[in-house]
Amino acid sequence: MDRVDSVLLPELDGPVPATLPSTLGLLSLALGIGALVAPGPLARLTGVDDSAAARMVIPAVGLRELGSAAGLLSGRRPAGWAWSRVAGDAMDLTLLGRALADRSGERRHRLTLTTALIAGVTAVDVFAAVRIRRAQQARARMIRMNIGVTVNRSPAEAYRFWRDMENLPRFMAHLESVRADDLRRSHWIARGPAGHRVEWDAEIIDDQPNKSITWRSLPGARVPNAGRVRFVPAPGDRGTEVRVELRYAPPAGALGRAVAKLFGEEPEQQVRDDLRRFKQVLETGEVVRSEGSPNGISVRQQAMQRPAQPLPASRR
């Protein structure tokens, strides 16, 4: 996993979903060891110490928890193992419900508390399983791009222009505006088809003057994304190689389809066009236009230009 992936993936679906499998795994490990090492005290604590069957059921539950722990901590198929915990919770609640029907007094009180605790654990497990699954789906949809261009300017000049985030809409066709809130945080607005807007907040997480800038969307973005741009002196004193790495995860459903249209059928080609415009703006001060481009210097208008067509015979 490269630098850009490592800053993007934890943000794909809310606060640090990448830590959830290991957290659930450690919880399963603790429960499993407790059930195997001390089944008697656990039976008394939960109110089933009067049941001979509990002496077999509790160690079996412990083995199940250890299996879940091994799967979750391995990092393979975390969503499946998280849902296995939910299934185990449902089994536990069923057993506790049956035990409640046969208990009274202090044991019933302890069983009631245990049932409430397991119900709470079940809710947490369902929440975690859903989050893990959504994060996996977002990762599967993630689009990765690594593209470069050589500009006839020094790394310092290229860096200064890009570091002013409000310059980005000057050459990125899909961006309507970028507002710098402070030195690191900014608000981005992209305009899509039929007037749709996609907005998000982003932060610069690594800034190496004249060398590179790394940014990512903040938690809660509808289209999680991250990027890094590097400014490398070109061989032979030919200017600067500007190398861009982009990652974004379009959502599912209608919004995902709108984002797909926003970035086009060939997102890599659009980014190449953006970098070509970056080169033109940096070297000439504006996007180079021909006489057939009458609609001003708006990047979006330039992107929507159609090839010139011959005049109808009636207008010749």
Side-chain angles (χ1 to χ4, degrees):
M1 184 179 296
D2 65 21
R3 171 63 174 160
V4 177
D5 277 349
S6 69
V7 300
L8 171 60
L9 295 184
E11 304 299 330
L12 282 178
D13 196 29
V16 292
T19 66
L20 289 178
S22 58
T23 300
L24 293 179
L26 291 174
L27 177 60
S28 286
L29 182 63
L31 292 173
I33 291 174
L36 289 175
V37 172
L42 187 58
R44 287 192 295 273
L45 182 65
T46 56
V48 294
D49 52 310
D50 60 339
S51 170
R55 300 191 187 99
M56 295 182 293
V57 171
I58 290 177
V61 170
L63 289 173
R64 185 197 73 207
E65 291 292 343
L66 290 179
S68 295
L72 287 163
L73 293 175
S74 72
R76 292 188 290 270
R77 299 178 58 201
W81 287 108
W83 283 111
S84 76
R85 275 189 54 85
V86 175
D89 294 337
M91 294 172 58
D92 294 343
L93 289 172
T94 300
L95 293 172
L96 289 168
R98 291 178 179 177
L100 268 172
D102 300 329
R103 301 299 189 283
S104 61
E106 180 60 25
R107 283 195 175 93
R108 184 178 180 86
H109 177 68
R110 280 182 279 167
L111 264 172
T112 300
L113 292 177
T114 301
T115 302
L117 177 62
I118 297 302
V121 170
T122 302
V124 172
D125 284 344
V126 169
F127 173 80
V130 169
R131 296 293 290 275
I132 292 169
R133 180 59 179 167
R134 286 180 178 173
Q136 284 187 326
Q137 291 172 338
R139 289 187 183 98
R141 293 193 303 272
M142 186 163 61
I143 295 174
R144 300 170 171 84
M145 288 175 280
N146 296 272
I147 301 170
V149 69
T150 300
V151 299
N152 189 25
R153 288 291 183 269
S154 69
E157 291 175 289
Y159 165 85
R160 281 197 302 270
F161 187 87
W162 199 297
R163 182 61 179 81
D164 183 355
M165 292 292 178
E166 295 186 358
N167 280 330
L168 299 184
R170 293 180 62 183
F171 61 89
M172 291 187 176
H174 64 284
L175 286 181
E176 177 179 304
S177 67
V178 177
R179 184 190 70 239
D181 294 329
D182 55 37
L183 291 177
R184 290 194 171 270
R185 296 199 171 195
S186 52
H187 183 74
W188 300 47
I189 301 177
R191 187 191 296 270
H196 283 290
R197 284 184 171 183
V198 181
E199 302 188 30
W200 67 93
D201 292 313
E203 65 177 346
I204 293 174
I205 61 169
D206 185 50
D207 185 0
Q208 300 181 33
N210 306 332
K211 293 182 179 180
S212 68
I213 306 167
T214 305
W215 69 94
R216 68 176 174 190
S217 58
L218 292 174
R222 300 178 73 183
V223 185
N225 63 89
R228 177 174 64 167
V229 57
R230 291 183 293 153
F231 308 95
V232 181
D237 196 27
R238 294 186 298 107
T240 301
E241 291 182 1
V242 180
R243 300 175 182 172
V244 177
E245 301 170 58
L246 291 177
R247 307 288 186 268
Y248 70 94
L255 178 60
R257 290 191 291 274
V259 171
K261 291 179 181 177
L262 171 66
F263 284 93
E265 294 181 0
E266 298 292 340
E268 284 198 19
Q269 184 59 50
Q270 178 165 309
V271 175
R272 291 183 192 279
D273 291 342
D274 287 344
L275 288 180
R276 175 180 54 80
R277 286 186 287 269
F278 171 75
K279 174 182 174 70
Q280 292 177 352
V281 170
L282 205 59
E283 293 179 352
T284 70
E286 64 179 2
V287 175
V288 176
R289 294 176 294 141
S290 68
E291 292 181 357
S293 301
N295 291 331
I297 62 173
S298 162
V299 170
R300 184 170 180 80
Q301 289 171 328
Q302 293 294 321
M304 298 299 291
Q305 290 289 332
R306 295 182 178 180
Q309 301 291 330
L311 287 172
S314 61
R315 295 181 57 188
R316 291 176 185 173

